[in-house]
Amino acid sequence: MAVTIQQIAEAVGVSRGTVDRALNNRGRINPEVAKRVQRAAEEMGYIPRNRRTKKGRRLRIGVVTQLAKSSFMLEVNRGIRDAAMQLEDRGAELVLKECLSVDENEQLTAIEALEAEGIDGLALMPVDCEGIRIKMNRMIDRKNIPVITFNSDIVGTGRSCFVGMDNRKSGRTAAGLMGMLTQGKGKVLVITGYFGNNVNNTRVDGFVEELKAAYPDLELAGVQGSFDNADEVEKIVMNTMQAVPDINGVFVVSGGQQGLERAYGKLGLAKRPYTLIYDLTPRNRRLLTQGTADFLIDQEGYVQGCQPPLILADMLQKGRRPEKELWYTNIDIKTKYNL
C-alpha cells in the first residue's frame, strides 16, 4: 500500500501535523526535524498526492512487448504483473499492449493506441527499425514522454535507459561453454529465432566472434532461423545433422527448444551433440533435468518485466532520473544440478 503521513509520523516519532509541514513547507518547523522527516519519507517511498495524478487523473505507464506467446515471456509477464500491482499502490496505472511478432507495423499500432489512451511514460521492447526509432524520438522530444527499453535495445534514440541482458556478452559466454564442452574441435549448428530480432542477432554475433577468437578449430555449421517454433527447430536439427557429418554442438539462441528433444529421439543418436539453450522456463527445466541440454543461460526475465515501469514511475512521481543508462541483468548459467 502507499505510504501515509501517519506512517511517517510514527516512524520519526512526531505528529502528523509536523510531517505535513515538513513535506509541504507549511509553517515553521525545526530544520533538523524537517530533514529527519524528509529523509524518512524518501526511504519509505512516500509519494505526494499531487504526484500520483496528472491533470486530474492517475498516471499511466504504457508497456509494449513483442513475441507475446513465446515461452520467455512467461517470466517477463510475471514481472509486469507485479509492477502493475506496485503501481496501483502508488496511485498509478499500467497499460499493457502485447504484440505477437517482431513486425514494425504491429508495434507502431500498439504504441499509437497507448498514446491515444494518454500514457505518461512508455516501457518498450523495441523492434529495431527506423519507424520505431522515429516514433520513440517524437514521443520523447515533442510530447515529453520518457521511454525505457527492455529486453531489446535500439540505437539513435533518446530513451532514458535500457533494462536487459548484455546479449553480446551472453553470446560470448555461450561460445566459451561450447568450446570447453567440445575441447575446441568439431562443428556447431546455431539456431536463432527471427533474423529481424536484434536480441537474437546480437547473441549470434557474440557467439561467432568468440568462437573465431578462442576456438578457431570449432567450425560453424550454419545459422538457421526457426521463428521460435519447435517444429522448425526439430526440422533444422534433423536435416542438418543428416546432411552434415560430425556436428557435435547445437546452440539454440531463442525459443522452440522443445524441438531438440524430438529431433534427438528420432535420429537415434548414440551420443547427442553438446547443447546450449536460453531461458529458464518450465519446459526448459525439463530439457535440462532429462538430459536434452547441457547448459541453460537465463536472463532474469522477471526483472526485465518489473523494473522498467517502476523506474518510469520514479521519474514521473519523484523526479528521480535512472541511476545508470544500462541496467544489465545477470547472465545466469544453469545445469540440472543447480536448478
Side-chain angles (χ1 to χ4, degrees):
M1 298 294 292
V3 175
T4 65
I5 285 180
Q6 181 61 42
Q7 289 171 322
I8 298 171
E10 292 171 358
V12 180
V14 296
S15 68
R16 291 180 76 259
T18 299
V19 173
D20 180 69
R21 289 194 296 274
L23 296 180
N24 297 290
N25 298 314
R26 294 177 181 155
R28 296 172 61 183
I29 184 173
N30 185 301
E32 194 61 38
V33 173
K35 287 181 181 179
R36 284 171 49 212
V37 170
Q38 291 160 3
R39 184 163 54 247
E42 175 71 18
E43 291 173 352
M44 295 171 69
Y46 173 73
I47 300 168
R49 187 172 296 278
N50 64 351
R51 288 191 181 177
R52 299 179 193 177
T53 61
K54 187 173 182 179
K55 297 179 181 178
R57 62 166 176 79
R58 293 201 300 173
L59 285 168
R60 291 192 182 124
I61 306 295
V63 178
V64 176
T65 61
Q66 54 178 260
L67 300 173
K69 291 187 177 181
S70 66
S71 57
F72 163 71
M73 289 304 298
L74 290 171
E75 279 298 286
V76 175
N77 286 333
R78 187 169 71 89
I80 291 172
R81 289 194 298 271
D82 279 5
M85 289 189 290
Q86 292 185 56
L87 290 176
E88 186 71 25
D89 288 342
R90 295 171 61 164
E93 177 184 5
L94 187 149
V95 186
L96 173 64
K97 301 293 182 184
E98 298 179 290
C99 297
L100 297 176
S101 69
V102 289
D103 178 72
E104 174 183 353
N105 291 328
E106 183 186 16
Q107 187 162 98
L108 282 172
T109 299
I111 295 172
E112 287 166 358
L114 287 174
E115 279 189 292
E117 293 184 40
I119 59 168
D120 304 297
L122 175 65
L124 175 68
M125 291 175 66
V127 176
D128 191 2
C129 61
E130 191 60 23
I132 297 298
R133 187 175 291 105
I134 291 170
K135 184 65 176 178
M136 286 174 61
N137 284 331
R138 283 178 177 168
M139 293 177 70
I140 295 164
D141 298 334
R142 299 183 184 180
K143 297 190 175 182
N144 199 31
I145 297 175
V147 179
I148 290 176
T149 57
F150 67 102
N151 185 251
S152 57
D153 203 6
I154 184 169
V155 299
T157 68
R159 57 105 173 98
S160 298
C161 68
F162 164 71
V163 178
M165 179 181 276
D166 183 337
N167 286 294
R168 186 175 299 274
K169 182 180 286 187
S170 80
R172 292 174 56 203
T173 300
L177 291 171
M178 187 64 77
M180 288 186 284
L181 289 169
T182 61
Q183 298 184 4
K185 298 185 183 300
K187 298 175 182 176
V188 179
L189 168 65
V190 176
I191 302 174
T192 187
Y194 291 82
F195 285 109
N197 186 319
N198 178 262
V199 171
N200 295 347
N201 294 339
T202 306
R203 290 175 184 172
V204 172
D205 288 346
F207 184 85
V208 174
E209 288 169 4
E210 187 63 19
L211 219 61
K212 289 180 178 179
Y215 303 100
D217 294 331
L218 196 51
E219 181 182 340
L220 192 66
V223 179
Q224 300 193 41
S226 69
F227 308 104
D228 290 343
N229 183 280
D231 292 337
E232 287 297 318
V233 170
E234 178 185 350
K235 188 186 304 181
I236 289 168
V237 172
M238 292 192 66
N239 290 344
T240 305
M241 293 193 67
Q242 288 170 341
V244 181
D246 304 325
I247 289 181
N248 59 339
V250 175
F251 176 39
V252 182
V253 173
S254 190
Q257 301 96 330
Q258 314 314 308
L260 292 168
E261 185 177 23
R262 300 201 298 262
Y264 292 163
K266 290 179 180 179
L267 288 167
L269 303 170
K271 184 179 185 303
R272 66 161 172 79
Y274 295 110
T275 303
L276 307 179
I277 60 177
Y278 270 89
D279 301 324
L280 193 58
T281 65
R283 288 180 177 178
N284 287 349
R285 279 177 170 268
R286 186 171 60 83
L287 294 183
L288 276 182
T289 56
Q290 293 185 354
T292 301
D294 297 288
F295 289 106
L296 178 150
I297 298 176
D298 186 55
Q299 56 180 319
E300 294 190 311
Y302 173 86
V303 175
Q304 294 185 33
C306 188
Q307 193 172 44
L310 299 181
I311 294 174
L312 283 165
D314 282 345
M315 293 174 66
L316 293 163
Q317 293 180 321
K318 300 180 181 180
R320 182 186 296 167
R321 297 291 301 171
E323 296 175 7
K324 51 190 174 183
E325 180 186 358
L326 301 173
W327 294 71
Y328 284 137
T329 53
N330 292 326
I331 300 174
D332 286 339
I333 300 171
K334 301 292 185 182
T335 73
K336 65 181 180 180
Y337 302 107
N338 70 343
L339 285 176

